[in-house]
Amino acid sequence: MAAKAVVLLLAPWPLKFIIDSVIFRKPLPHGLSGFLPDPSHSLALLNTLGIAMLALGLMDAALSYWGNRLLLRTGQHAIFDIRRDLFAHMQRLSLSFHRRQKSGDIMARLGGDIQTLQDFVVSAGTNLSAHLLTMVGMIVVMLIVDWRFALVVMAVVPLLLFIMQRYSARLRIAFRRARQKEGELWGKVQEIIANVHVVQAYGREAHEDERFAEQAEKSLDATLEASDLQVQFTPLVGLVMALATGAAVWYGATRVLAGSITAGELLVFLAYLRGMASPVRQFAKIAGVVGKSSAAAERLGEVFSEASEIREAPDALIPSTCKGQLQFRSVSFGYHPGDMVLQNVSFHVKPGQTVALVGATGAGKSTLVSLIPRFHDPLSGQIMLDGHDLRELALDFVRSQVALVLQEALVFSGAIWENIAYGLAGAGRDEAIAAAQAAGIHELVEGLPDGYDTLVGERGATLSGGQRQCVSIARAMLRNAPIVILDEPTSGLDAFTERIVMEALRRLTVGRTTLIIAHRLATVTGADAILVLDQGHVVQMGTHEQLLAQSGRYFDLWNSGRSAVALSS
């Protein structure tokens, strides 16, 4: 691009010498008289200058091709790096960030905002940088030839810069608002599509049509506002350049008549004025892309500026083994300041023990177990793993010691064995089958149409709830972690499927420290200890028999559960 700038700077000069030395027979500058034919040999000089013009044109074309090619490739690689780094950064942000952000808006940033930057590289990258480099050289040359005329030509620059700055700021604000509204729109779309079965079940399609149209209209209004600014900007720049060109031609002609400059030098000045106008006109044409890209860059910067609340100590420990001993010491936690979900929770789980967490909905059970793999950190208190505070240990180590089986078994698009192998980096088909056999679900998987090669649809739509849960259990089995967390793993399953899942869970938890959340108390009567939570407090702790004998909160939950079973039967 720097070489192209030099070529653009030299391009008008052969024409200047054609007019001054070939047509008007003026002598050549002293420095060129030894390289070019004498003006007395006008045809020879014309041929030489014509060849020079052709050579400069060829050089301009070649440099444009290679410069633009390199610039675009470099720019696209940079955009790829941004997209890759943004995805990696988002994955490592704490769950509190993902709770605040709508998934549709996140997708808009990964997709639409990155695409806007790509459009900027394609539109603004080509030739614009070369023209900007050339402007510096043009200004220097014009000042050397005739500083008065140079000042007249350059007088338009401050006005153009003022217009560009004013409209660029307004365009950036307008397109930032448009991108925000578009992100909100995609967030609404994602919410509706994800719950389309509920929409159809309740016949609310027309209602959602109205909600979508209302949000889309807000996005449209913001986009039209930005477009109106862009439409104003382009002709205004054209008008200023027309006035500047007219003034330059008039003043330049008076300088020629006065003998201060030659007609060829006037031509060079006008060519330079046109060259200075090119990036301005190009910017005016792509002002919308520039405004969008600026707003997109700001939105991406907002995500990159987010720091994960879960931080690893610089000297984090990586123990050689893990027994799975857990201890909560006066742990308190809340998602929002002043709104504590857990308060002064203390208990101890020995290696290999099974501890059940029971309580009403909202008591803090799921929040409590989410602290073990450090999805969140306690606001006060400590969680100890084999005598070490979790915050002293390497994050990867902590999470590698925990296997999760959730109420909603999450699976990915792909084969059954690939979903099982997801539990351990580097695991293959054989390891996945071995894990399924260990979990006792081998026959269930083999009974699927293609066995372990059965393809799973998005979010496991092609599998039943029990089948998804069995895959989740086999995945946890393959992880072979000393700590297992079960968050209502049998909720919503029929009696036959529940027996299969319960047997798989029994195999999974043998010899492992297990924390299980259950609403159906009958499934946890054999636990080594049961913790009863109420509004974030541990109000009771003991075995099933001990808690029934105390006639407290657990006794009430047990009796209400038996009453519900009797009523349903």
Side-chain angles (χ1 to χ4, degrees):
M1 287 301 176
K4 178 178 169 61
V6 174
V7 171
L8 291 174
L9 199 63
L10 295 175
W13 287 90
L15 191 56
K16 174 237 192 275
F17 294 125
I18 289 175
I19 292 174
D20 288 346
S21 300
V22 175
I23 297 177
F24 293 106
R25 304 296 180 91
K26 292 182 180 294
L28 291 168
H30 180 70
L32 295 177
S33 58
F35 296 96
L36 296 174
D38 190 85
S40 60
H41 301 88
S42 57
L43 186 59
L45 180 57
L46 178 60
N47 291 337
T48 303
L49 292 172
I51 293 172
M53 291 180 65
L54 178 61
L56 288 172
L58 291 173
M59 291 174 63
D60 181 33
L63 290 170
S64 293
Y65 170 74
W66 288 107
N68 289 335
R69 184 174 184 271
L70 289 170
L71 183 66
L72 289 175
R73 288 176 65 87
T74 303
Q76 295 292 6
H77 278 293
I79 298 301
F80 167 79
D81 289 343
I82 292 174
R83 174 172 281 167
R84 179 194 59 195
D85 294 347
L86 181 67
F87 179 76
H89 183 67
M90 282 182 171
Q91 282 201 106
R92 287 157 180 79
L93 289 175
S94 54
L95 293 186
S96 59
F97 166 81
H98 292 280
R99 284 195 176 95
R100 294 195 310 269
Q101 294 290 331
K102 292 183 178 180
S103 56
D105 185 59
I106 290 177
M107 294 306 297
R109 297 187 195 228
L110 268 172
D113 288 339
I114 295 290
Q115 184 61 50
T116 299
L117 290 185
Q118 285 182 317
D119 294 341
F120 171 76
V121 169
V122 173
S123 301
T126 54
N127 289 323
L128 187 58
S129 55
H131 283 300
L132 292 175
L133 289 171
T134 309
M135 286 179 66
V136 178
M138 289 177 176
I139 291 172
V140 172
V141 172
M142 287 191 295
L143 288 171
I144 293 172
V145 174
D146 188 313
W147 64 270
R148 295 181 183 85
F149 193 14
L151 291 179
V152 172
V153 172
M154 290 187 298
V156 71
V157 174
L159 180 57
L160 287 174
L161 291 177
F162 172 76
I163 294 172
M164 290 172 61
Q165 188 275 333
R166 179 179 175 81
Y167 272 88
S168 294
R170 294 175 64 187
L171 280 168
R172 183 169 60 252
I173 294 172
F175 279 113
R176 183 192 303 134
R177 181 171 175 269
R179 290 299 301 158
Q180 178 185 352
K181 294 301 179 183
E182 188 174 345
E184 293 174 0
L185 174 64
W186 289 119
K188 186 70 66 179
V189 170
Q190 192 276 335
E191 179 185 28
I192 296 171
I193 296 300
N195 297 289
V196 68
H197 56 292
V198 178
V199 175
Q200 293 180 355
Y202 286 91
R204 302 289 284 175
E205 292 90 345
H207 171 71
E208 297 302 341
D209 289 345
E210 292 179 4
R211 291 179 65 201
F212 175 82
E214 180 181 350
Q215 193 65 49
E217 188 173 357
K218 292 179 181 178
S219 177
L220 174 63
D221 291 341
T223 304
L224 289 176
E225 179 186 350
S227 299
D228 288 342
L229 286 172
Q230 185 178 353
V231 169
Q232 296 172 18
F233 180 50
T234 304
L236 182 58
V237 169
L239 176 61
V240 171
M241 289 309 304
L243 294 174
T245 303
V249 170
W250 180 86
Y251 185 76
T254 62
R255 300 295 289 171
V256 173
L257 294 174
S260 299
I261 61 173
T262 66
E265 288 169 341
L266 172 60
L267 185 66
V268 170
F269 271 71
L270 294 178
Y272 280 178
L273 178 61
R274 183 169 176 265
M276 293 172 64
S278 293
V280 177
R281 287 198 181 98
Q282 188 174 354
F283 183 84
K285 291 179 182 177
I286 62 169
V289 175
V290 174
K292 288 180 181 179
S293 64
S294 178
E298 288 182 3
R299 282 167 50 83
L300 296 176
E302 290 172 1
V303 180
F304 277 119
S305 65
E306 287 277 350
S308 177
E309 298 174 3
I310 308 302
R311 300 181 182 178
E312 188 173 281
D315 54 349
L317 302 175
I318 304 179
S320 57
T321 59
C322 179
K323 298 178 182 178
Q325 178 176 254
L326 287 170
Q327 187 175 8
F328 278 59
R329 297 179 178 176
S330 302
V331 171
S332 296
F333 175 77
Y335 296 104
H336 306 287
D339 184 14
M340 304 303 291
V341 180
L342 299 174
Q343 300 185 56
N344 296 318
V345 173
S346 298
F347 65 92
H348 183 210
V349 185
K350 296 179 180 178
Q353 277 192 326
T354 296
V355 173
L357 306 175
V358 302
T361 300
K365 305 182 294 297
S366 296
T367 299
L368 187 150
V369 297
S370 72
L371 300 178
I372 298 172
R374 287 196 71 191
F375 293 149
H376 306 283
D377 279 338
L379 299 182
S380 63
Q382 292 179 300
I383 302 175
M384 314 297 290
L385 175 60
D386 291 350
H388 297 287
D389 190 316
L390 289 181
R391 288 168 287 202
E392 298 175 354
L393 302 173
L395 185 60
D396 286 344
F397 172 80
V398 171
R399 291 180 177 172
S400 68
Q401 309 307 311
V402 180
L404 297 173
V405 180
L406 306 176
Q407 178 180 357
E408 182 182 357
L410 302 177
V411 294
F412 300 90
S413 299
I416 291 288
W417 75 264
E418 290 174 321
N419 272 278
I420 296 174
Y422 194 85
L424 185 65
R429 194 175 190 276
D430 293 339
E431 291 86 352
I433 294 174
Q437 290 172 335
I441 64 165
H442 178 69
E443 293 183 0
L444 183 146
V445 177
E446 285 287 358
L448 295 173
D450 295 313
Y452 286 91
D453 294 315
T454 301
L455 294 178
V456 179
E458 185 178 358
R459 298 181 62 86
T462 56
L463 299 178
S464 68
Q467 290 169 335
R468 290 198 301 272
Q469 198 62 281
C470 287
V471 170
S472 178
I473 294 169
R475 182 192 298 159
M477 180 70 79
L478 178 61
R479 191 166 185 79
N480 195 27
I483 300 172
V484 176
I485 295 175
L486 310 176
D487 191 349
E488 301 187 57
T490 61
S491 177
L493 301 181
D494 59 79
F496 176 74
T497 306
E498 183 178 352
R499 284 196 296 271
I500 298 175
V501 170
M502 287 299 295
E503 174 59 23
L505 289 173
R506 185 191 65 77
R507 291 171 177 248
L508 171 64
T509 57
V510 169
R512 293 183 170 90
T513 302
T514 305
L515 286 89
I516 180 170
I517 297 174
H519 279 128
R520 294 176 56 193
L521 302 186
T523 61
V524 296
T525 55
D528 297 305
I530 298 174
L531 271 65
V532 184
L533 278 81
D534 187 21
Q535 297 183 356
H537 295 274
V538 176
V539 294
Q540 284 184 289
M541 186 186 311
T543 64
H544 172 69
E545 292 77 11
Q546 291 170 341
L547 294 176
L548 283 182
Q550 293 175 12
S551 300
R553 179 64 175 154
Y554 183 81
F555 182 83
D556 297 336
L557 291 171
W558 176 260
N559 285 330
S560 63
R562 292 179 64 185
S563 299
V565 171
L567 184 62
S568 62
S569 61

